[in-house]
Amino acid sequence: MEVDMAAFGFPAPVRPGATRVGWVGIGVMGGAMAARLLAAGFAVTAYARTPAKAEALVAAGASLAGSPAAVAAACDVVFTMVGNPGDVRAVVLDAASGVLAGLRPGGVLVDCTSSSPSLAREVAAAARAAGCYAVDSPVSGGDVGARDGALALLAGGDEAVVSWLAPLFAHLGRPTYMGPPGSGQSSKIANQIAVAGAVVGASEALAFANAAGLDAPLFLDAVSKGAAGSRVMDIFGERMLRREFASGGSVKYIIKDLGMALETEEGPEGAKALPGAAMFQQMFSAMAANGDGDLSLQGLITVVERLNGIRK
């Protein structure tokens, strides 16, 4: 049967069973987000550099493609959630295998990677040149938010396209339109500065509480009801108490994000005197130097403990 291509892509209505969704990058976050769209009734075609990572998704009904371009050729909307800007450039802009090599006119790319604002603008321009659309929509909320569909989605790009994506975003969390291309990425970098500071604060507070002989769970419960309370304290503080350092994304990603905040070549991004961000990056880098680079953010408490000789 011949497919009416005009019935797909922007601005045709987004509907389960009609809108075909692609997903590139099946890690902790990407896998959980793609699974939510699959459970909502959308047909999902995925690509993973390590196919074993997509086994659960395929078992739930997703299809597996051999390249990002092959994913895009089968889909109307393609989400990417990869590790760093270099990965984004490879999976999106590669002339032979990238998403834009396969995405047809009217197709929409949504990059959820925490990446560079300037690269987001470059991708948006390349998409428009191909008759497609690109939205930079990095997320905040961690693995818990991805699993529960409670992420903050920080979207930059064409406002009409971001609005059009609402039926998909609704299964992932709460979207906010932040402005033109690159605005989502700039928002995520600012978000990461705030998250990093909160994790540093929680780590030092709990290390101090333990060293003072306090009942750490009681302390955490008490202060969480006051001004010190936050989502970071709720998620990461509890994991610190349990010494559960492997849950969540790798610390290497926040080191990368803080590095982007401190770069001087980002042009329009402005504020360059960020002493807190520089200190936070040093602390997380110390965690990686200690051999814990694959652990999650809550492992930062081990750096504070080492500095104080509290634990090995």
Side-chain angles (χ1 to χ4, degrees), residues 102-190:
L103 197 62
R104 65 175 181 79
V108 177
L109 165 70
V110 184
D111 183 27
C112 296
T113 311
S114 295
S115 185
S116 156
S118 60
L119 179 57
R121 291 188 283 268
E122 181 182 345
V123 167
R128 291 309 296 264
C132 303
Y133 304 88
V135 171
D136 53 294
S137 186
V139 302
S140 181
D143 58 312
V144 174
R147 181 195 67 205
D148 296 343
L151 294 168
L153 298 112
L154 308 168
D158 187 313
E159 187 171 8
V161 176
V162 173
S163 296
W164 178 79
L165 289 163
L168 291 166
F169 283 159
H171 297 288
L172 305 177
R174 178 178 177 271
T176 301
Y177 177 67
M178 304 306 298
S183 299
Q185 296 298 351
S186 294
S187 299
K188 178 60 185 288
I189 291 171

Side-chain angles (χ1 to χ4, degrees), residues 200-277:
V200 170
S203 298
E204 294 191 354
L206 283 173
F208 180 90
N210 280 321
L214 298 178
D215 180 325
L218 179 65
F219 163 77
L220 187 64
D221 180 66
V223 300
S224 68
K225 296 176 174 60
S230 68
R231 186 159 176 79
V232 165
M233 184 73 83
D234 291 342
I235 295 174
F236 298 108
E238 289 290 342
R239 291 176 178 177
M240 289 176 196
L241 289 180
R242 296 193 299 266
R243 313 297 290 180
E244 184 185 316
F245 299 141
S247 298
S250 167
V251 71
K252 65 186 178 185
Y253 296 122
I254 202 161
I255 295 171
K256 174 257 298 181
D257 294 343
L258 293 170
M260 289 191 291
L262 298 168
E263 287 173 359
T264 57
E265 58 270 16
E266 272 303 331
E269 271 58 60
K272 299 305 172 192
L274 301 170

Side-chain angles (χ1 to χ4, degrees), residues 13 93 105 189 303:
L93 295 177
I189 291 171
V303 173

